[in-house]
Amino acid sequence: MYDISYELWLEMVERVASEYAPLFSIMHEAAREIPLSRALIEKLKSNKRVKLSNDPWQIWLQIDLIEDDIGGFRVYLMACVKRDAMEGLMQLTAEEQGITQEEIRAFEVEHGLDMLGDVLEQIEDGYDILPEIIGESIIFSLVIFDSQDIDDSKGNDIFWSERTYTN
């Protein structure tokens, strides 16, 4: 039996996560370049999502309305990959190290690990992308606008101003 070390485990996790780095780069670049206009926001509010690409990845904009007093919202840039594609990549990465799926499962059970969960955590920590498993897909989300940020900055401006207010 091949002896899996925690360092090898982490190396495999990082390798799988890094395979998606081109997608995350595209997402971050697109987030910087997408002009958020009133028309786009209204389109998102009525349709909930706007498709940007299907090839090589399905990528779209999505809006989530926030139930607050000012009609706030968040706009996300999202991408989708099939869960089995990532799992296949995890299996291939292990096989390249001479490790079988049975050895992976035994290591996970023995150490309370989950390779898919660790890969998703590495993606979130290393690429600032929020991954979520939904059915047979993995959805990657990147917040490109959050109206709460505007509210927070206004509150901080008042709080941090040197001017004192009295009644």
Side-chain angles (χ1 to χ4, degrees):
M1 177 178 219
Y2 189 90
D3 189 25
I4 303 173
S5 68
Y6 189 65
E7 290 75 28
L8 179 58
W9 176 267
L10 290 176
E11 181 182 313
M12 290 188 297
V13 165
E14 289 174 11
R15 176 147 183 240
V16 172
S18 71
E19 289 292 322
Y20 291 93
L23 171 59
F24 304 145
S25 244
I26 289 168
M27 290 176 73
H28 280 285
E29 183 66 28
R32 284 188 292 275
E33 294 181 6
I34 291 174
L36 289 177
S37 64
R38 183 177 298 263
L40 178 59
I41 298 302
E42 291 305 318
K43 184 175 181 179
L44 283 167
K45 283 182 176 179
S46 65
N47 298 333
K48 298 293 181 203
R49 66 171 50 181
V50 172
K51 188 182 298 185
L52 300 178
S53 170
N54 263 342
D55 188 36
W57 298 288
Q58 183 181 1
I59 300 174
W60 67 94
L61 288 173
Q62 183 170 312
I63 194 167
D64 285 343
L65 303 176
I66 301 169
E67 294 184 25
D68 60 9
D69 294 335
I70 62 166
F73 58 91
R74 284 186 193 95
V75 177
Y76 298 89
L77 181 62
M78 304 181 85
C80 177
V81 298
K82 294 293 180 188
R83 180 179 176 163
D84 60 353
M86 184 176 282
E87 289 172 342
L89 183 56
M90 291 177 348
Q91 183 174 351
L92 179 63
T93 301
E95 288 172 0
E96 288 173 352
Q97 297 293 329
I99 301 169
T100 66
Q101 285 306 117
E102 293 75 30
E103 290 171 312
I104 291 289
R105 280 191 283 281
F107 189 77
E108 287 177 328
V109 168
E110 181 180 345
H111 298 282
L113 297 171
D114 170 38
M115 186 176 277
L116 179 57
D118 288 351
V119 167
L120 298 180
E121 187 176 312
Q122 174 67 32
I123 288 169
E124 185 172 355
D125 293 345
Y127 298 95
D128 293 326
I129 299 286
L130 181 63
E132 182 179 6
I133 298 173
I134 299 178
E136 295 302 312
S137 298
I138 299 174
I139 308 296
F140 300 117
S141 303
L142 176 63
V143 176
I144 62 172
F145 179 81
D146 186 343
S147 63
Q148 185 64 45
D149 292 341
I150 294 171
D151 293 343
D152 290 346
S153 70
K154 286 180 182 176
N156 286 337
D157 289 346
I158 293 169
F159 181 77
W160 290 108
S161 70
E162 293 182 24
R163 189 171 170 190
T164 331
Y165 296 94
T166 59
N167 289 340

